[in-house]
Amino acid sequence: MKVRLDPDRCQGHGRCYTVAPALFSGDDEGYALALADGEIPADQARRAESAAANCPEHAITLDDA
Ligand code: F3S
């Protein structure tokens, strides 16, 4: 599973890297960056789902492919 981040939607709310710091970080202005090329380790799957659910801009989607 991979995480897909839409930089056009991200407004820097920061919930993603608070909920899933192993998967996201923030740039100098607080906008999200996906770590590890968006790859989600199996033990981070629930955090990835939580990050996607908690982004108020719907900037995060999960790709099962
Ligand atoms: Fe951006 Fe959403 Fe995270 S707005 S910083 S992707 S919570």
Side-chain angles (χ1 to χ4, degrees):
M1 190 159 67
K2 288 189 79 165
V3 69
R4 196 175 304 171
L5 178 64
D6 183 343
D8 292 331
R9 285 181 174 260
C10 177
Q11 297 295 314
H13 294 288
R15 295 185 188 176
C16 54
Y17 43 83
T18 299
V19 167
L23 301 174
F24 301 95
S25 73
D27 69 12
D28 290 345
E29 297 179 328
Y31 294 98
L33 303 168
L35 301 175
D37 199 26
E39 290 290 341
I40 304 170
D43 66 350
Q44 293 291 318
R46 292 192 67 167
R47 286 182 182 263
E49 291 167 356
S50 182
N54 279 285
C55 175
E57 307 297 336
H58 307 290
I60 298 167
T61 52
L62 305 181
D63 187 352
D64 278 330

